[in-house]
């Protein structure tokens, strides 16, 4: 007996989206991501990179077309989708441990309050434990900062804290919106390598929005290139040899950077 095929992790068909009465950012746009793939999205400022991520995350809704994640529409954020933002999204009045543990606290709250017959839960998983919080603090290298507040730690440490919080929910899809753009070069490269390690360890599908050609080539085994709105088709550049820290030293990496630069100049 043949097992049923899994739906794409992300399937967008005929997407049209605009802000208010402005011209559409996307018009009849289609794009698909398979489970386990590593994508980056690049394009000029204002092309809709972050907008596309927010549509997939359920934070925005299309005016036309369909956005499916694991075969289901996303009218609201999902517990199995992690979102990491450029500005970290940490609570300034909470410690590092409390920020990472937030999905656990929310899951416990909804487990007590939500009706039993509500169906699939859009909020964080209710079965997260304090031991799992401690594990991700240690894995992300911020366990020694557990009692510090965001204002007391560096930008790279804040981003590690934000990533730990997202991974605590054991997401099947991890969306990162220009997560390293405000960091210095050494910290940025360190976190890029960490992202590769975490994807290999967990098998999570990753989509990284970036404005940096080098980052797009390093992190994305498939790269979506967007242009000036309205975006009507998905231009995809294949980059199958990416995915390891050693890739930066390979000729194919530099060739891919040149290919991406040429693609962007055509937009």
């Amino acid at each position: 007996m043949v097992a049923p095929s899994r739906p794409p992790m992300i399937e967008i068909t005929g997407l049209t989206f605009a802000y208010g009465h402005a011209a559409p950012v996307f018009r009849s746009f289609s794009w698909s991501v398979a489970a386990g793939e590593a994508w980056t999205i690049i394009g000029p400022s204002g092309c809709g990179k972050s907008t596309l991520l927010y549509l997939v995350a359920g934070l925005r809704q299309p005016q036309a077309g369909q956005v499916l994640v694991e075969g289901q529409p996303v009218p609201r954020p999902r517990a199995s989708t992690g979102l990491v933002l450029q500005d970290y999204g940490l609570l300034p009045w909470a410690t590092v441990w409390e920020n990472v543990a937030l999905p656990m606290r929310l899951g416990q709250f909804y487990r007590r309050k939500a009706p039993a017959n509500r169906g699939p839960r859009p909020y964080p998983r209710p079965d997260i434990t304090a031991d799992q919080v401690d594990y991700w603090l240690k894995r992300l290298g911020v366990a020694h900062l557990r009692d510090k507040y965001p204002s007391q730690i560096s930008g790279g440490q804040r981003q590690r804290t934000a990533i730990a919080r997202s991974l605590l929910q054991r997401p099947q899809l991890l969306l990162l919106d220009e997560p390293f753009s405000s960091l210095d070069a050494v910290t940025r490269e360190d976190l890029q390598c960490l992202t590769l390690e975490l994807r290999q360890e967990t098998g999570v599908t990753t989509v990284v929005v970036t404005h940096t050609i080098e980052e797009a080539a390093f992190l994305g085994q498939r790269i979506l290139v967007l242009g000036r709105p309205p975006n009507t088709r998905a231009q995809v550049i294949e980059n199958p040899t990416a995915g390891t820290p050693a890739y930066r030293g390979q000729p194919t990496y530099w060739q891919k950077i040149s290919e991406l630069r040429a693609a962007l100049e055509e937009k």
Side-chain angles (χ1 to χ4, degrees), residues 124-142:
R125 303 175 62 107
D127 55 347
I128 298 171
T129 66
D131 286 344
Q132 292 167 347
V133 177
D134 291 337
Y135 169 81
W136 284 112
L137 283 171
K138 183 177 180 180
R139 178 62 187 87
L140 271 292
V142 291

Side-chain angles (χ1 to χ4, degrees), residues 20 27 29 35 40 45 49 65 94 98 100 106 115 126 139 147-148 171 176 220-221 236 251-252 259:
R27 186 172 61 207
F29 178 85
T40 51
S45 296
K49 301 186 296 295
E98 290 167 342
V100 174
L106 291 174
R139 178 62 187 87
D147 296 323
K148 299 287 188 181
L176 301 99
Q221 293 179 324
V236 177
T252 50
E259 184 180 349

Side-chain angles (χ1 to χ4, degrees), residues 110-121 123:
Y110 281 111
R111 181 168 54 186
R112 293 194 305 267
K113 301 293 184 180
N117 60 352
R118 184 166 179 172
R121 300 185 174 190
Y123 31 77

Side-chain angles (χ1 to χ4, degrees), residues 11-220:
E11 187 170 19
I12 295 175
T13 53
L15 168 67
T16 295
F17 177 85
Y19 289 99
H21 298 291
V25 181
F26 296 95
R27 186 172 61 207
S28 300
F29 178 85
S30 297
W31 177 50
S32 180
V33 172
E37 289 185 331
W39 282 79
T40 51
I41 304 175
I42 194 168
S45 296
C47 70
K49 301 186 296 295
S50 295
T51 298
L52 185 58
L53 215 63
Y54 297 159
L55 285 159
V56 173
L59 297 173
R60 300 280 184 184
Q61 297 299 317
Q63 277 92 42
Q66 196 170 46
V67 178
L68 301 179
V69 176
E70 293 188 287
Q72 299 295 321
V74 281
R76 62 183 66 86
R78 308 164 66 245
S80 56
T81 296
L83 178 63
V84 179
L85 303 172
Q86 179 181 350
D87 63 358
Y88 319 121
L90 302 179
L91 303 176
W93 57 84
T95 65
V96 166
W97 195 93
E98 290 167 342
N99 267 290
V100 174
L102 183 61
M104 179 185 72
R105 301 284 296 275
L106 291 174
Q108 292 170 345
F109 171 80
Y110 281 111
R111 181 168 54 186
R112 293 194 305 267
K113 301 293 184 180
N117 60 352
R118 184 166 179 172
R121 300 185 174 190
Y123 31 77
R125 303 175 62 107
D127 55 347
I128 298 171
T129 66
D131 286 344
Q132 292 167 347
V133 177
D134 291 337
Y135 169 81
W136 284 112
L137 283 171
K138 183 177 180 180
R139 178 62 187 87
L140 271 292
V142 291
H144 64 295
L145 303 170
R146 58 181 291 134
D147 296 323
K148 299 287 188 181
Y149 292 90
S151 63
Q152 297 174 312
I153 60 178
S154 70
Q157 291 166 338
R158 289 194 290 270
Q159 195 59 284
R160 285 173 177 267
T161 300
I163 294 171
R165 183 174 63 190
S166 290
L167 292 175
L168 181 65
Q169 297 185 70
R170 303 192 293 278
Q172 295 166 330
L173 173 62
L174 185 60
L175 309 173
L176 301 99
D177 187 18
E178 299 198 32
F180 315 130
S181 61
S182 62
L183 305 176
D184 64 84
V186 174
T187 303
R188 184 166 61 247
E189 290 189 4
D190 176 56
L191 286 176
Q192 288 169 354
C193 291
L194 177 63
T195 301
L196 295 181
E197 293 173 10
L198 292 170
R199 192 182 73 80
Q200 291 169 353
E201 290 174 16
T202 64
V204 64
T205 307
T206 57
V207 181
V208 181
V209 164
T210 180
H211 65 271
T212 306
I213 294 173
E214 291 79 6
E215 184 167 84
F218 182 65
L219 292 177

